[in-house]
Amino acid sequence: MAGLRCADGSYLNVTPVACRDSAGRPYEVTLELCCDGVPYGAVGERCAWWLERLAGRVEAARRDPGQASRWPDPDDRFPGEGDGHELFSFRDRGRRDGAGGGELRCSLRTIPIWTRRRRWLVTRRAYVEAWGAGGPGTRAILTSGELAGFVRALVDEAESCLEAADPGKIGVHGTGTVETR
């Protein structure tokens, strides 16, 4: 299970769980959220392929020489432009396809800090926020390196989850569904 230490000191666990078709075969994953032992819901139905793509985009942004002039520190480099840009938003979905109880979302924010040298230092951070059905949410503030590690851990766990559920499955790459050998 991947997890994040949040700004309020809580710990958010994110666990990929296999989605199964009508014949019981796993084909994708949903993310189960739990904060300090309290379930927040299951979000992001069929999101493994999307997470795989995002992991690659974050890793590529960290290496992007085009961003180096604006963001010299690789930890400030993210895919997307502008403050408030949303990298993902996963919600709990019921059979009626309406929004349900949980949510996991990540958006970018630019943070100016006044330094002792009497100048502004501008950084970018990813704000990963989670909410449950009946209570307050929690937030983790991540560098691009931390976000890349978190998302890559989710992808690796999703692949392991699918392989454990059906050893003939190899991953979530490229097609929006799980590929078979």
Side-chain angles (χ1 to χ4, degrees):
M1 118 184 59
L4 298 171
R5 178 64 57 196
C6 297
D8 63 3
S10 63
Y11 194 80
L12 177 67
N13 292 317
V14 183
T15 307
V17 176
C19 295
R20 297 180 181 273
D21 63 18
S22 60
R25 293 181 301 257
Y27 66 95
E28 251 286 0
V29 299
T30 295
L31 304 175
E32 285 188 353
L33 306 179
C34 193
C35 185
D36 288 339
V38 177
Y40 266 26
V43 302
E45 189 175 8
R46 297 178 301 274
C47 66
W49 174 83
W50 204 93
L51 287 168
E52 169 73 23
R53 202 169 129 229
L54 175 62
R57 290 177 50 226
V58 173
E59 291 160 356
R62 289 181 51 77
R63 297 185 306 269
D64 184 2
Q67 289 196 37
S69 63
R70 171 84 200 255
W71 306 107
D73 185 347
D75 278 342
D76 293 328
R77 299 180 200 162
F78 292 89
E81 295 295 323
D83 203 37
H85 177 76
E86 197 165 80
L87 294 177
F88 62 79
S89 181
F90 300 132
R91 291 183 175 87
D92 187 3
R93 296 269 182 209
R95 287 203 178 271
R96 61 182 164 34
D97 205 33
E103 183 173 358
L104 180 68
R105 151 174 91 178
C106 178
S107 59
L108 299 180
R109 298 204 183 146
T110 303
I111 306 165
I113 301 168
W114 186 249
T115 69
R116 291 182 183 180
R117 295 182 180 176
R118 296 180 183 237
R119 65 183 181 106
W120 287 104
L121 173 64
V122 180
T123 62
R124 288 175 88 193
R125 293 295 178 259
Y127 280 59
V128 177
E129 300 169 312
W131 292 271
T138 192
R139 169 186 299 152
I141 303 168
L142 307 177
T143 66
S144 65
E146 292 166 335
L147 180 65
F150 172 69
V151 175
R152 181 56 62 196
L154 283 176
V155 169
D156 292 346
E157 289 181 35
E159 289 181 352
S160 294
C161 168
L162 291 168
E163 288 172 4
D166 186 346
K169 303 293 180 187
I170 62 167
V172 293
H173 307 285
T175 63
T177 59
V178 178
E179 300 172 4
T180 57
R181 288 193 177 130

